[in-house]
Amino acid sequence: HVQLVESGGGSVEAGGSLKLSCVASGYTTTSRTYMAWFRQAPGKEREGVAAIGSNGRTTYADSVKGRFIISKDNAKNTLGLQMNSLKAEDTGMYYCAADELNHGLAWRGYTYWSQGTQVTVS
């Protein structure tokens, strides 16, 4: 049984920072999976934020390049997302996702999902 449990959301003023964490359990380790962060604002489609491959290669949405950093700690089976210089348009529900195949920022391909955590930037 695969589980992705995330934490770290909250409210912050524009220009501030937040860090999200996602702990994976119940199956293969993060070292052998592709993982990503997605977000969804009310009334909008889910969108990819950042992805990281099993080899550590990263991909970012243009809207977050230079502000967000995705990382993996394979020893702790943990995925992280450091979010800096936050803007109001970063507001939404954030999810981490994992899969054995590389789907990049395409959310429909991912099999495993976290419960989501709210990020609000005002």
Side-chain angles (χ1 to χ4, degrees), residues 1-35:
H1 177 65
V2 176
Q3 263 198 316
L4 298 176
V5 179
E6 67 175 302
S7 59
S11 297
V12 66
E13 291 185 352
S17 298
L18 282 174
K19 183 171 184 178
L20 305 182
S21 295
C22 175
V23 178
S25 64
Y27 76 122
T28 187
T29 65
T30 55
S31 63
R32 296 203 296 269
T33 59
Y34 294 87
M35 302 190 75

Side-chain angles (χ1 to χ4, degrees), residues 18-69:
L18 282 174
K19 183 171 184 178
L20 305 182
S21 295
C22 175
V23 178
S25 64
Y27 76 122
T28 187
T29 65
T30 55
S31 63
R32 296 203 296 269
T33 59
Y34 294 87
M35 302 190 75
W37 290 98
F38 295 86
R39 66 187 181 190
Q40 189 166 18
K44 294 188 176 181
E45 187 173 348
R46 188 168 298 190
E47 63 172 347
V49 174
I52 186 166
S54 56
N55 60 1
R57 186 171 182 175
T58 58
T59 303
Y60 293 94
D62 287 344
S63 59
V64 305
K65 279 181 183 176
R67 300 189 297 122
F68 290 13
I69 301 171

Side-chain angles (χ1 to χ4, degrees), residues 67-115:
R67 300 189 297 122
F68 290 13
I69 301 171
I70 187 171
S71 62
K72 273 198 307 181
D73 183 338
N74 293 327
K76 297 181 179 179
N77 265 2
T78 300
L79 179 73
L81 184 69
Q82 177 65 45
M83 303 184 292
N84 302 317
S85 302
L86 283 161
K87 304 175 181 180
E89 49 263 45
D90 295 318
T91 294
M93 188 70 77
Y94 282 68
Y95 303 87
C96 66
D99 200 89
E100 294 181 0
L101 300 177
N102 182 8
H103 302 289
L105 297 179
W107 68 267
R108 286 185 173 86
Y110 285 84
T111 303
Y112 307 108
W113 290 86
S114 66
Q115 79 282 6

